[in-house]
Amino acid sequence: MATDEWVRERPGPDGYRRDALAAFVLMIGTALSSMLYNRIGWYNDPAPLWMSALAVVGLTAPLAFRRRWPEAVAFFIAIAFYVSQQFMVPELLFSNIALFMAIYTVGAWGRNRRRANVVRGIIIAAMLVWVVVNLIVTVSDPDAVPDFSRSGIFSQLASLAIIQVVTNLLYFGGAFFFGNTAWRAAREKALLSARTAELSEERERRAVQAVALDRLRIARELHDVVAHHVSVMGIQAGAARRVLQTDPAQASASLELIETSARTAVDELHRLLTTLRENETDTASESASTRGVEQLEELAEQTRHAGTPVSVQVIGDPVPLSPLVSFTLFRVAQEALTNTRKHAGTGATADVRLRYEPDAVELEVADTGLGRAAAARGSGLGQVGMRERVVAVGGDLEVGPRSRGGYLVRARIPLMSSRTLAARSAEHA
């Protein structure tokens, strides 16, 4: 949105109703003020009552449409102001307020900035010329304000003229300045809202892209997982064929392992098949067959070299995990420690705990960093990727600031058939 092409939107029905109500209240105030001025005898020969009533309506009623047609309303009120003063309508308070509001509205709500400047310039110039002419006539007339001294540079009459000029300059300059200020404030607010909406859309787009890319990486890892199981099945099938006649028990164990591998491969295939996409990407990813929980200490050492102390603790009796589950835990730990280095701040430490339970394996990465401040600064895309990975293998992910300070990432994955397969593989070996 270009700033020089921005057009301020008109107010809604509620805004127009408020304008009408303000005009009505101002009309009542103008009528009361006119009666008071007439009562104190402000003019020796004031305008007749009917003309004063017309002036009151002409000065205030158009303000009900001031934000609908600001330029026309300003011209009308300026003419009404001039006529009321020329015919000595006894009102000097609310009429000035009405003219100020009209000029201000042109600056604040004018949709065409060139036209708004021209309209205000014409009105202000005409009013200032009128003031100057009246001052010249007053100075030239010896019978005007006879009680005022005319001698000296700063005589009483000269001082009155200076006050009149300065007052009008401040009056019209204020209406012009505050109108422009209101228009600029509205423009900046609109542009900020537009940029905020664009940034929100961009964040959503990036989140969707991050999820898609992470699912693509998970889908490629499926190749490693299935290849691992198929290779195990091939080896065991060959072993079973060789010992089928001489050692039926050994052949039966190999066939049982083939059956378990096939079931596990199908199970993991069902979990990850929905992540496949038609588009390919050239981004390299680590192989699920080469990275896993066995490399957590290596990962922690890399983080220590980066300046963040990390401790690794294994709780419970370790059991072999399927390559996919092991690799998923490794990637969760990798992302969590990366976030610790980025956001935890200086002096933070991290703890990595791998906990083996009877029916699940749990990875917990906790740090002593900035916690909530880090969560507010991050984009959250890394957490999206971690959650996608953990959910893809049937697990749950918990992330967030800790009550005692720092940040926590906890992934819990049921062992299910992967543990059975791993245990049987170890037993057979």
Side-chain angles (χ1 to χ4, degrees), residues 262-384:
R263 288 178 179 175
T264 302
V266 170
D267 179 58
E268 294 182 349
L269 180 63
H270 277 298
R271 292 181 185 179
L272 295 178
L273 192 56
T274 56
T275 66
L276 290 173
R277 296 294 184 267
E278 294 180 0
N279 297 332
E280 292 293 335
T281 178
D282 295 332
T283 305
S285 63
E286 294 171 294
S287 172
S289 62
T290 60
R291 292 291 179 182
V293 293
E294 295 79 8
Q295 283 73 39
L296 287 180
E297 183 60 41
E298 176 184 337
L299 192 61
E301 187 62 29
Q302 295 174 0
T303 305
R304 296 187 193 105
H305 283 306
T308 302
V310 180
S311 64
V312 179
Q313 185 178 6
V314 178
I315 303 172
D317 297 328
V319 296
L321 304 173
S322 71
L324 181 59
V325 172
S326 182
F327 181 67
T328 298
L329 294 174
F330 173 82
R331 291 303 296 268
V332 169
Q334 187 179 45
E335 180 66 27
L337 291 177
T338 299
N339 289 339
T340 297
R341 292 198 301 269
K342 286 183 179 180
H343 306 302
T346 58
T349 62
D351 294 323
V352 179
R353 296 184 180 90
L354 182 63
R355 185 177 292 106
Y356 291 94
E357 298 178 359
D359 58 347
V361 59
E362 184 177 273
L363 175 73
E364 182 178 286
V365 181
D367 63 56
T368 59
L370 301 179
R372 295 185 184 274
R377 286 200 308 269
S379 64
L381 298 182
Q383 295 181 6
V384 171

Side-chain angles (χ1 to χ4, degrees), residues 239-260:
R241 180 179 56 82
R242 293 189 185 92
V243 300
L244 183 60
Q245 301 296 331
T246 59
D247 191 350
Q250 179 68 26
S252 177
S254 297
L255 292 174
E256 184 180 0
L257 185 57
I258 292 173
E259 179 186 1
T260 306

Side-chain angles (χ1 to χ4, degrees), residues 6 8 104 107-109 177-188:
W6 181 76
R8 188 172 186 178
Y104 163 85
W109 291 90
F177 172 78
F178 289 117
N180 281 352
T181 300
W183 183 85
R184 283 195 298 268
R187 181 187 62 177
E188 293 300 323

Side-chain angles (χ1 to χ4, degrees), residues 135-214:
L135 287 175
I136 293 174
V137 171
T138 301
V139 171
S140 302
D141 186 1
D143 295 329
V145 287
D147 296 333
F148 279 59
S149 171
R150 298 170 181 265
S151 60
I153 298 177
F154 292 105
S155 63
Q156 288 179 303
L157 189 59
S159 299
L160 176 63
I162 293 173
I163 290 175
Q164 289 291 327
V165 171
V166 171
T167 300
N168 281 275
L169 287 175
L170 291 175
Y171 174 85
F172 292 112
F176 194 98
F177 172 78
F178 289 117
N180 281 352
T181 300
W183 183 85
R184 283 195 298 268
R187 181 187 62 177
E188 293 300 323
K189 181 179 179 180
L191 294 178
L192 180 60
S193 298
R195 293 192 187 102
T196 302
E198 291 175 0
L199 290 175
S200 179
E201 292 176 0
E202 179 64 22
R203 281 195 298 270
E204 292 178 1
R205 194 159 48 245
R206 289 179 59 191
V208 171
Q209 291 174 351
V211 170
L213 291 174
D214 214 64

Side-chain angles (χ1 to χ4, degrees), residues 29-43:
T30 307
L32 294 175
S33 175
S34 177
M35 289 189 291
L36 292 174
Y37 271 103
N38 188 57
R39 177 64 179 166
I40 65 177
W42 187 260
Y43 293 121

